[in-house]
Amino acid sequence: LEAGVNAITTTAFEGPVKISAPGPYATVFVLPALSRVRAEYPKIVPHVTSLSSSEVNSKLIAGEIDLAVIDDPTVDEAVTVYCLGELTFGVYCGETHPLAAVESVDVASVIEYPFVGPPPDLMDHWPKHVVRRLGMIASQMHVAVQACATGDFLVMLPDPIARAYRGETLLVRLPLELVPPSTLYAVTSKLPDDSSRVVLVL
């Protein structure tokens, strides 16, 4: 029905497209994509929000959002999951942290220092079999970045996010590869019509 109405009224590339992405992913990945889309289709009006992964599927199915960008989707028959690409992760510290100037570091040395990490319902891709000490809990990644930049904490971050913050905050990536790359996904409630504004953003 939606595709038919769009074909008749030629509004396929007008109006809202509702997107959920964690704040840093929205800044680094979603906003540049929206900028390119709106340059060609200025009548598209993005609505950007941030939902937890546990909320995404129900909001997609209910039509409250059109697209979600997440790194831990939940498989469900009612949603379609697209692979956007790989994310690498690193352990970062502030420039005044004792590990900032080291040329070589191992896991045992790293876990001697406190981390800023997420609450239990979120993940930062820290390996579950390695016990670390959390000195601060932060549900928002940009808060974790700022806490790390003070030099008091280490943090596990996606490398593109850390690079994006380097213009504002000096972060140092430790010479340690702890986890393999992860995948970044886009999730929609169905396979969109090829001419939909959701597909444009995707």
Side-chain angles (χ1 to χ4, degrees), residues 42-106:
K43 292 185 179 180
I44 289 178
V45 182
H47 297 217
V48 182
T49 187
S50 182
L51 300 171
S52 67
S53 296
S54 61
E55 298 176 278
V56 162
N57 284 7
S58 62
K59 298 288 188 183
L60 285 167
I61 293 165
E64 295 176 33
I65 59 172
D66 300 310
L67 175 74
V69 177
I70 54 178
D71 55 10
D72 57 341
T74 302
V75 176
D76 189 303
E77 292 180 353
V79 302
T80 305
V81 179
Y82 303 86
C83 174
L84 295 179
E86 285 192 339
L87 281 178
T88 56
F89 292 79
V91 177
Y92 287 84
C93 66
E95 60 179 332
T96 60
H97 192 279
L99 295 179
V102 300
E103 295 182 4
S104 176
V105 67
D106 58 17

Short mmCIF file of all heavy atoms in Angstrom, two decimals, residues 42-106:
data_model
loop_
_atom_site.label_atom_id
_atom_site.label_comp_id
_atom_site.label_asym_id
_atom_site.label_seq_id
_atom_site.Cartn_x
_atom_site.Cartn_y
_atom_site.Cartn_z
N PRO A 42 16.15 17.11 -0.83
CA PRO A 42 16.05 18.01 0.33
C PRO A 42 14.72 17.94 1.07
O PRO A 42 14.61 18.48 2.17
CB PRO A 42 16.27 19.39 -0.28
CG PRO A 42 15.94 19.25 -1.73
CD PRO A 42 16.30 17.85 -2.09
N LYS A 43 13.70 17.28 0.49
CA LYS A 43 12.42 17.19 1.17
C LYS A 43 12.35 16.01 2.14
O LYS A 43 11.35 15.83 2.83
CB LYS A 43 11.28 17.11 0.16
CG LYS A 43 11.10 18.42 -0.63
CD LYS A 43 9.90 18.36 -1.53
CE LYS A 43 9.74 19.68 -2.28
NZ LYS A 43 8.56 19.65 -3.17
N ILE A 44 13.40 15.21 2.18
CA ILE A 44 13.47 14.15 3.20
C ILE A 44 13.82 14.80 4.53
O ILE A 44 14.74 15.62 4.61
CB ILE A 44 14.51 13.08 2.80
CG1 ILE A 44 13.98 12.27 1.63
CG2 ILE A 44 14.82 12.16 3.98
CD1 ILE A 44 14.94 11.22 1.12
N VAL A 45 13.09 14.42 5.58
CA VAL A 45 13.30 15.00 6.90
C VAL A 45 13.73 13.89 7.87
O VAL A 45 12.90 13.12 8.35
CB VAL A 45 12.01 15.69 7.43
CG1 VAL A 45 12.28 16.32 8.79
CG2 VAL A 45 11.50 16.72 6.44
N PRO A 46 15.02 13.79 8.16
CA PRO A 46 15.48 12.74 9.08
C PRO A 46 15.05 13.02 10.52
O PRO A 46 15.08 14.16 10.98
CB PRO A 46 17.00 12.80 8.97
CG PRO A 46 17.28 13.58 7.72
CD PRO A 46 16.14 14.53 7.57
N HIS A 47 14.64 11.98 11.21
CA HIS A 47 14.38 12.02 12.64
C HIS A 47 15.39 11.06 13.26
O HIS A 47 15.31 9.85 13.03
CB HIS A 47 12.97 11.54 12.97
CG HIS A 47 11.88 12.40 12.41
ND1 HIS A 47 10.72 12.66 13.10
CD2 HIS A 47 11.77 13.07 11.23
CE1 HIS A 47 9.94 13.44 12.38
NE2 HIS A 47 10.56 13.69 11.23
N VAL A 48 16.36 11.56 14.00
CA VAL A 48 17.43 10.72 14.55
C VAL A 48 17.25 10.60 16.06
O VAL A 48 17.10 11.61 16.77
CB VAL A 48 18.82 11.30 14.23
CG1 VAL A 48 19.92 10.40 14.76
CG2 VAL A 48 18.97 11.49 12.72
N THR A 49 17.26 9.37 16.54
CA THR A 49 17.13 9.10 17.97
C THR A 49 18.11 8.01 18.36
O THR A 49 18.84 7.48 17.50
CB THR A 49 15.67 8.68 18.30
OG1 THR A 49 15.52 8.58 19.71
CG2 THR A 49 15.34 7.33 17.68
N SER A 50 18.15 7.68 19.63
CA SER A 50 19.05 6.62 20.10
C SER A 50 18.27 5.69 21.02
O SER A 50 17.79 6.12 22.06
CB SER A 50 20.25 7.23 20.85
OG SER A 50 21.13 6.22 21.27
N LEU A 51 18.14 4.44 20.60
CA LEU A 51 17.44 3.43 21.38
C LEU A 51 18.41 2.34 21.78
O LEU A 51 19.41 2.10 21.09
CB LEU A 51 16.31 2.81 20.56
CG LEU A 51 15.20 3.73 20.05
CD1 LEU A 51 14.31 2.98 19.07
CD2 LEU A 51 14.40 4.28 21.22
N SER A 52 18.11 1.66 22.87
CA SER A 52 18.93 0.50 23.24
C SER A 52 18.63 -0.64 22.27
O SER A 52 17.55 -0.69 21.66
CB SER A 52 18.61 0.06 24.67
OG SER A 52 17.29 -0.45 24.74
N SER A 53 19.57 -1.55 22.12
CA SER A 53 19.39 -2.67 21.18
C SER A 53 18.15 -3.49 21.51
O SER A 53 17.48 -4.01 20.62
CB SER A 53 20.63 -3.57 21.20
OG SER A 53 21.75 -2.85 20.74
N SER A 54 17.83 -3.59 22.79
CA SER A 54 16.67 -4.39 23.20
C SER A 54 15.35 -3.76 22.76
O SER A 54 14.33 -4.44 22.66
CB SER A 54 16.67 -4.59 24.72
OG SER A 54 16.59 -3.33 25.38
N GLU A 55 15.34 -2.46 22.47
CA GLU A 55 14.12 -1.77 22.04
C GLU A 55 13.94 -1.75 20.54
O GLU A 55 12.82 -1.51 20.05
CB GLU A 55 14.14 -0.31 22.52
CG GLU A 55 14.18 -0.08 23.99
CD GLU A 55 14.29 1.40 24.31
OE1 GLU A 55 15.42 1.93 24.27
OE2 GLU A 55 13.24 2.02 24.55
N VAL A 56 15.01 -1.96 19.79
CA VAL A 56 15.00 -1.70 18.36
C VAL A 56 13.94 -2.50 17.61
O VAL A 56 13.14 -1.95 16.86
CB VAL A 56 16.41 -1.94 17.76
CG1 VAL A 56 16.35 -2.12 16.26
CG2 VAL A 56 17.33 -0.79 18.12
N ASN A 57 13.91 -3.83 17.79
CA ASN A 57 12.99 -4.65 16.98
C ASN A 57 11.54 -4.27 17.20
O ASN A 57 10.77 -4.15 16.25
CB ASN A 57 13.21 -6.13 17.28
CG ASN A 57 14.46 -6.69 16.62
OD1 ASN A 57 15.24 -5.94 16.04
ND2 ASN A 57 14.66 -7.99 16.71
N SER A 58 11.14 -4.08 18.45
CA SER A 58 9.73 -3.75 18.73
C SER A 58 9.36 -2.39 18.13
O SER A 58 8.26 -2.21 17.61
CB SER A 58 9.45 -3.78 20.23
OG SER A 58 10.22 -2.81 20.91
N LYS A 59 10.29 -1.44 18.17
CA LYS A 59 10.02 -0.12 17.60
C LYS A 59 9.96 -0.18 16.06
O LYS A 59 9.15 0.52 15.44
CB LYS A 59 11.09 0.89 18.03
CG LYS A 59 11.17 1.12 19.53
CD LYS A 59 10.00 1.91 20.06
CE LYS A 59 10.20 2.28 21.52
NZ LYS A 59 9.04 2.98 22.08
N LEU A 60 10.80 -1.01 15.46
CA LEU A 60 10.75 -1.19 14.01
C LEU A 60 9.42 -1.81 13.59
O LEU A 60 8.76 -1.35 12.66
CB LEU A 60 11.91 -2.08 13.54
CG LEU A 60 13.29 -1.45 13.48
CD1 LEU A 60 14.36 -2.52 13.32
CD2 LEU A 60 13.39 -0.43 12.36
N ILE A 61 9.04 -2.87 14.29
CA ILE A 61 7.81 -3.59 13.95
C ILE A 61 6.59 -2.70 14.14
O ILE A 61 5.63 -2.74 13.36
CB ILE A 61 7.70 -4.88 14.80
CG1 ILE A 61 8.82 -5.86 14.39
CG2 ILE A 61 6.34 -5.54 14.64
CD1 ILE A 61 9.05 -6.98 15.38
N ALA A 62 6.62 -1.85 15.16
CA ALA A 62 5.50 -0.94 15.43
C ALA A 62 5.48 0.26 14.49
O ALA A 62 4.54 1.04 14.50
CB ALA A 62 5.56 -0.46 16.88
N GLY A 63 6.53 0.42 13.68
CA GLY A 63 6.60 1.55 12.76
C GLY A 63 7.05 2.84 13.40
O GLY A 63 6.95 3.91 12.80
N GLU A 64 7.56 2.76 14.63
CA GLU A 64 8.00 3.97 15.32
C GLU A 64 9.37 4.44 14.85
O GLU A 64 9.74 5.61 15.03
CB GLU A 64 8.00 3.74 16.83
CG GLU A 64 6.60 3.49 17.39
CD GLU A 64 6.59 3.17 18.86
OE1 GLU A 64 7.46 3.71 19.59
OE2 GLU A 64 5.74 2.39 19.30
N ILE A 65 10.16 3.52 14.27
CA ILE A 65 11.40 3.88 13.58
C ILE A 65 11.44 3.10 12.27
O ILE A 65 10.76 2.08 12.11
CB ILE A 65 12.68 3.60 14.42
CG1 ILE A 65 12.78 2.13 14.81
CG2 ILE A 65 12.75 4.52 15.63
CD1 ILE A 65 14.10 1.75 15.46
N ASP A 66 12.23 3.59 11.31
CA ASP A 66 12.34 2.94 10.01
C ASP A 66 13.63 2.14 9.86
O ASP A 66 13.68 1.18 9.10
CB ASP A 66 12.32 4.00 8.89
CG ASP A 66 11.04 4.80 8.89
OD1 ASP A 66 9.95 4.19 8.92
OD2 ASP A 66 11.12 6.05 8.85
N LEU A 67 14.67 2.57 10.57
CA LEU A 67 16.00 2.01 10.37
C LEU A 67 16.80 2.16 11.65
O LEU A 67 16.70 3.19 12.32
CB LEU A 67 16.70 2.76 9.23
CG LEU A 67 18.16 2.45 8.89
CD1 LEU A 67 18.23 1.11 8.16
CD2 LEU A 67 18.75 3.54 8.01
N ALA A 68 17.55 1.13 12.01
CA ALA A 68 18.42 1.21 13.18
C ALA A 68 19.83 0.79 12.78
O ALA A 68 20.01 -0.16 12.03
CB ALA A 68 17.91 0.30 14.30
N VAL A 69 20.81 1.53 13.27
CA VAL A 69 22.22 1.19 13.06
C VAL A 69 22.77 0.71 14.40
O VAL A 69 22.83 1.48 15.36
CB VAL A 69 23.02 2.41 12.55
CG1 VAL A 69 24.49 2.06 12.41
CG2 VAL A 69 22.45 2.90 11.23
N ILE A 70 23.12 -0.56 14.47
CA ILE A 70 23.58 -1.16 15.74
C ILE A 70 24.65 -2.21 15.45
O ILE A 70 24.81 -2.65 14.31
CB ILE A 70 22.41 -1.82 16.54
CG1 ILE A 70 21.64 -2.82 15.67
CG2 ILE A 70 21.47 -0.76 17.08
CD1 ILE A 70 20.53 -3.53 16.42
N ASP A 71 25.38 -2.60 16.49
CA ASP A 71 26.39 -3.64 16.31
C ASP A 71 26.01 -4.96 16.96
O ASP A 71 26.80 -5.91 16.92
CB ASP A 71 27.77 -3.16 16.80
CG ASP A 71 27.74 -2.68 18.24
OD1 ASP A 71 26.72 -2.88 18.93
OD2 ASP A 71 28.75 -2.09 18.68
N ASP A 72 24.81 -5.05 17.55
CA ASP A 72 24.38 -6.31 18.17
C ASP A 72 22.90 -6.55 17.92
O ASP A 72 22.09 -6.54 18.85
CB ASP A 72 24.70 -6.31 19.67
CG ASP A 72 24.07 -5.13 20.40
OD1 ASP A 72 23.69 -4.15 19.73
OD2 ASP A 72 23.94 -5.21 21.63
N PRO A 73 22.51 -6.77 16.66
CA PRO A 73 21.09 -6.95 16.36
C PRO A 73 20.54 -8.26 16.92
O PRO A 73 21.27 -9.23 17.12
CB PRO A 73 21.05 -6.96 14.83
CG PRO A 73 22.39 -7.47 14.43
CD PRO A 73 23.35 -6.94 15.46
N THR A 74 19.23 -8.27 17.16
CA THR A 74 18.53 -9.49 17.59
C THR A 74 17.81 -10.07 16.39
O THR A 74 17.02 -9.37 15.74
CB THR A 74 17.52 -9.16 18.71
OG1 THR A 74 18.22 -8.56 19.80
CG2 THR A 74 16.81 -10.41 19.19
N VAL A 75 18.06 -11.33 16.09
CA VAL A 75 17.44 -11.97 14.94
C VAL A 75 15.95 -12.13 15.20
O VAL A 75 15.53 -12.58 16.27
CB VAL A 75 18.09 -13.35 14.67
CG1 VAL A 75 17.37 -14.06 13.53
CG2 VAL A 75 19.56 -13.18 14.35
N ASP A 76 15.14 -11.76 14.22
CA ASP A 76 13.68 -11.85 14.33
C ASP A 76 13.12 -11.95 12.92
O ASP A 76 13.60 -11.27 12.01
CB ASP A 76 13.14 -10.60 15.04
CG ASP A 76 11.66 -10.70 15.39
OD1 ASP A 76 10.84 -10.92 14.47
OD2 ASP A 76 11.32 -10.55 16.57
N GLU A 77 12.10 -12.79 12.74
CA GLU A 77 11.52 -12.97 11.41
C GLU A 77 10.93 -11.67 10.86
O GLU A 77 10.79 -11.50 9.65
CB GLU A 77 10.41 -14.04 11.45
CG GLU A 77 10.92 -15.44 11.71
CD GLU A 77 9.80 -16.46 11.75
OE1 GLU A 77 8.62 -16.04 11.70
OE2 GLU A 77 10.11 -17.65 11.84
N ALA A 78 10.55 -10.77 11.75
CA ALA A 78 9.86 -9.55 11.32
C ALA A 78 10.81 -8.42 10.94
O ALA A 78 10.36 -7.35 10.54
CB ALA A 78 8.92 -9.07 12.43
N VAL A 79 12.12 -8.62 11.06
CA VAL A 79 13.07 -7.58 10.70
C VAL A 79 14.07 -8.12 9.68
O VAL A 79 14.28 -9.33 9.57
CB VAL A 79 13.82 -7.01 11.93
CG1 VAL A 79 12.85 -6.45 12.95
CG2 VAL A 79 14.73 -8.06 12.56
N THR A 80 14.67 -7.20 8.95
CA THR A 80 15.71 -7.54 7.98
C THR A 80 17.00 -6.90 8.43
O THR A 80 17.03 -5.71 8.76
CB THR A 80 15.34 -7.03 6.57
OG1 THR A 80 14.05 -7.53 6.21
CG2 THR A 80 16.36 -7.50 5.55
N VAL A 81 18.07 -7.69 8.47
CA VAL A 81 19.37 -7.21 8.95
C VAL A 81 20.34 -7.10 7.77
O VAL A 81 20.46 -8.03 6.97
CB VAL A 81 19.95 -8.16 10.03
CG1 VAL A 81 21.31 -7.67 10.50
CG2 VAL A 81 18.99 -8.29 11.21
N TYR A 82 20.99 -5.95 7.66
CA TYR A 82 21.96 -5.70 6.60
C TYR A 82 23.34 -5.50 7.22
O TYR A 82 23.47 -4.82 8.22
CB TYR A 82 21.61 -4.43 5.81
CG TYR A 82 20.24 -4.43 5.19
CD1 TYR A 82 19.14 -4.02 5.94
CD2 TYR A 82 20.05 -4.84 3.88
CE1 TYR A 82 17.87 -4.01 5.37
CE2 TYR A 82 18.79 -4.83 3.31
CZ TYR A 82 17.69 -4.41 4.06
OH TYR A 82 16.45 -4.41 3.50
N CYS A 83 24.35 -6.07 6.59
CA CYS A 83 25.73 -5.84 7.03
C CYS A 83 26.24 -4.56 6.39
O CYS A 83 26.21 -4.42 5.16
CB CYS A 83 26.60 -7.03 6.63
SG CYS A 83 28.34 -6.79 6.95
N LEU A 84 26.68 -3.62 7.22
CA LEU A 84 27.23 -2.36 6.71
C LEU A 84 28.74 -2.39 6.57
O LEU A 84 29.31 -1.65 5.77
CB LEU A 84 26.83 -1.20 7.63
CG LEU A 84 25.34 -0.89 7.73
CD1 LEU A 84 25.11 0.27 8.71
CD2 LEU A 84 24.76 -0.54 6.37
N GLY A 85 29.40 -3.19 7.39
CA GLY A 85 30.86 -3.25 7.33
C GLY A 85 31.45 -3.67 8.65
O GLY A 85 30.73 -3.95 9.61
N GLU A 86 32.77 -3.73 8.70
CA GLU A 86 33.46 -4.17 9.91
C GLU A 86 33.89 -2.99 10.76
O GLU A 86 34.21 -1.92 10.26
CB GLU A 86 34.69 -5.00 9.55
CG GLU A 86 34.38 -6.40 9.08
CD GLU A 86 35.63 -7.27 9.02
OE1 GLU A 86 36.75 -6.71 8.95
OE2 GLU A 86 35.50 -8.51 9.07
N LEU A 87 33.89 -3.24 12.07
CA LEU A 87 34.42 -2.28 13.04
C LEU A 87 35.56 -2.94 13.79
O LEU A 87 35.45 -4.08 14.25
CB LEU A 87 33.34 -1.92 14.08
CG LEU A 87 32.25 -0.93 13.71
CD1 LEU A 87 31.29 -0.78 14.87
CD2 LEU A 87 32.85 0.41 13.34
N THR A 88 36.67 -2.23 13.90
CA THR A 88 37.75 -2.70 14.76
C THR A 88 37.70 -1.95 16.08
O THR A 88 37.15 -0.85 16.16
CB THR A 88 39.12 -2.49 14.09
OG1 THR A 88 39.26 -1.10 13.75
CG2 THR A 88 39.25 -3.34 12.83
N PHE A 89 38.25 -2.55 17.12
CA PHE A 89 38.19 -1.98 18.46
C PHE A 89 39.58 -1.92 19.07
O PHE A 89 40.43 -2.77 18.78
CB PHE A 89 37.29 -2.83 19.37
CG PHE A 89 35.84 -2.78 19.00
CD1 PHE A 89 35.36 -3.55 17.95
CD2 PHE A 89 34.95 -1.96 19.67
CE1 PHE A 89 34.02 -3.50 17.58
CE2 PHE A 89 33.62 -1.90 19.32
CZ PHE A 89 33.15 -2.68 18.27
N GLY A 90 39.80 -0.92 19.90
CA GLY A 90 41.07 -0.79 20.59
C GLY A 90 40.87 -0.31 22.01
O GLY A 90 39.81 0.20 22.37
N VAL A 91 41.91 -0.47 22.81
CA VAL A 91 41.92 0.07 24.17
C VAL A 91 42.61 1.42 24.12
O VAL A 91 43.73 1.54 23.60
CB VAL A 91 42.65 -0.87 25.15
CG1 VAL A 91 42.70 -0.26 26.54
CG2 VAL A 91 41.95 -2.24 25.20
N TYR A 92 41.95 2.45 24.65
CA TYR A 92 42.45 3.82 24.59
C TYR A 92 42.66 4.39 25.99
O TYR A 92 42.01 3.97 26.95
CB TYR A 92 41.46 4.71 23.83
CG TYR A 92 41.46 4.45 22.34
CD1 TYR A 92 40.69 3.42 21.81
CD2 TYR A 92 42.23 5.22 21.48
CE1 TYR A 92 40.70 3.16 20.44
CE2 TYR A 92 42.24 4.98 20.12
CZ TYR A 92 41.46 3.95 19.60
OH TYR A 92 41.48 3.71 18.25
N CYS A 93 43.57 5.36 26.05
CA CYS A 93 43.80 6.10 27.30
C CYS A 93 44.01 7.57 26.95
O CYS A 93 44.19 7.93 25.78
CB CYS A 93 45.00 5.54 28.06
SG CYS A 93 46.58 5.75 27.22
N GLY A 94 43.98 8.42 27.97
CA GLY A 94 44.29 9.83 27.78
C GLY A 94 45.79 10.04 27.71
O GLY A 94 46.58 9.17 28.10
N GLU A 95 46.20 11.21 27.24
CA GLU A 95 47.63 11.47 27.03
C GLU A 95 48.43 11.52 28.32
O GLU A 95 49.65 11.36 28.32
CB GLU A 95 47.83 12.76 26.24
CG GLU A 95 47.28 14.00 26.92
CD GLU A 95 47.52 15.25 26.10
OE1 GLU A 95 48.51 15.29 25.35
OE2 GLU A 95 46.72 16.18 26.21
N THR A 96 47.76 11.71 29.47
CA THR A 96 48.48 11.76 30.75
C THR A 96 48.47 10.43 31.48
O THR A 96 49.03 10.31 32.57
CB THR A 96 47.87 12.84 31.67
OG1 THR A 96 46.49 12.51 31.93
CG2 THR A 96 47.96 14.21 31.03
N HIS A 97 47.84 9.42 30.90
CA HIS A 97 47.77 8.10 31.54
C HIS A 97 49.15 7.45 31.54
O HIS A 97 49.94 7.65 30.60
CB HIS A 97 46.77 7.21 30.80
CG HIS A 97 46.40 5.96 31.53
ND1 HIS A 97 47.20 4.83 31.52
CD2 HIS A 97 45.33 5.67 32.31
CE1 HIS A 97 46.61 3.88 32.25
NE2 HIS A 97 45.47 4.38 32.74
N PRO A 98 49.48 6.66 32.57
CA PRO A 98 50.81 6.02 32.62
C PRO A 98 51.13 5.12 31.42
O PRO A 98 52.29 4.94 31.09
CB PRO A 98 50.74 5.18 33.90
CG PRO A 98 49.72 5.87 34.75
CD PRO A 98 48.72 6.45 33.81
N LEU A 99 50.11 4.58 30.75
CA LEU A 99 50.36 3.70 29.61
C LEU A 99 50.45 4.44 28.28
O LEU A 99 50.73 3.83 27.25
CB LEU A 99 49.25 2.63 29.51
CG LEU A 99 49.16 1.62 30.66
CD1 LEU A 99 48.00 0.67 30.42
CD2 LEU A 99 50.47 0.84 30.79
N ALA A 100 50.24 5.75 28.29
CA ALA A 100 50.17 6.51 27.04
C ALA A 100 51.47 6.46 26.24
O ALA A 100 51.44 6.52 25.01
CB ALA A 100 49.79 7.95 27.33
N ALA A 101 52.60 6.35 26.91
CA ALA A 101 53.89 6.42 26.20
C ALA A 101 54.54 5.06 26.01
O ALA A 101 55.65 4.99 25.48
CB ALA A 101 54.84 7.34 26.97
N VAL A 102 53.88 3.97 26.41
CA VAL A 102 54.53 2.66 26.31
C VAL A 102 54.54 2.18 24.87
O VAL A 102 53.63 2.47 24.10
CB VAL A 102 53.85 1.61 27.23
CG1 VAL A 102 53.91 2.04 28.68
CG2 VAL A 102 52.43 1.34 26.79
N GLU A 103 55.58 1.44 24.51
CA GLU A 103 55.69 0.91 23.15
C GLU A 103 55.14 -0.50 23.05
O GLU A 103 54.83 -0.97 21.96
CB GLU A 103 57.15 0.94 22.69
CG GLU A 103 57.70 2.36 22.55
CD GLU A 103 59.12 2.36 22.04
OE1 GLU A 103 59.65 1.26 21.73
OE2 GLU A 103 59.72 3.44 21.95
N SER A 104 55.05 -1.17 24.18
CA SER A 104 54.54 -2.54 24.20
C SER A 104 53.77 -2.76 25.50
O SER A 104 54.19 -2.28 26.57
CB SER A 104 55.71 -3.54 24.10
OG SER A 104 55.24 -4.86 24.20
N VAL A 105 52.64 -3.44 25.41
CA VAL A 105 51.82 -3.67 26.59
C VAL A 105 51.09 -5.00 26.42
O VAL A 105 50.79 -5.41 25.30
CB VAL A 105 50.82 -2.51 26.80
CG1 VAL A 105 49.79 -2.47 25.70
CG2 VAL A 105 50.16 -2.58 28.15
N ASP A 106 50.87 -5.69 27.54
CA ASP A 106 50.11 -6.94 27.48
C ASP A 106 48.83 -6.80 28.30
O ASP A 106 48.61 -5.79 28.99
CB ASP A 106 50.95 -8.13 27.96
CG ASP A 106 51.47 -7.96 29.39
OD1 ASP A 106 50.94 -7.10 30.13
OD2 ASP A 106 52.39 -8.70 29.76
#
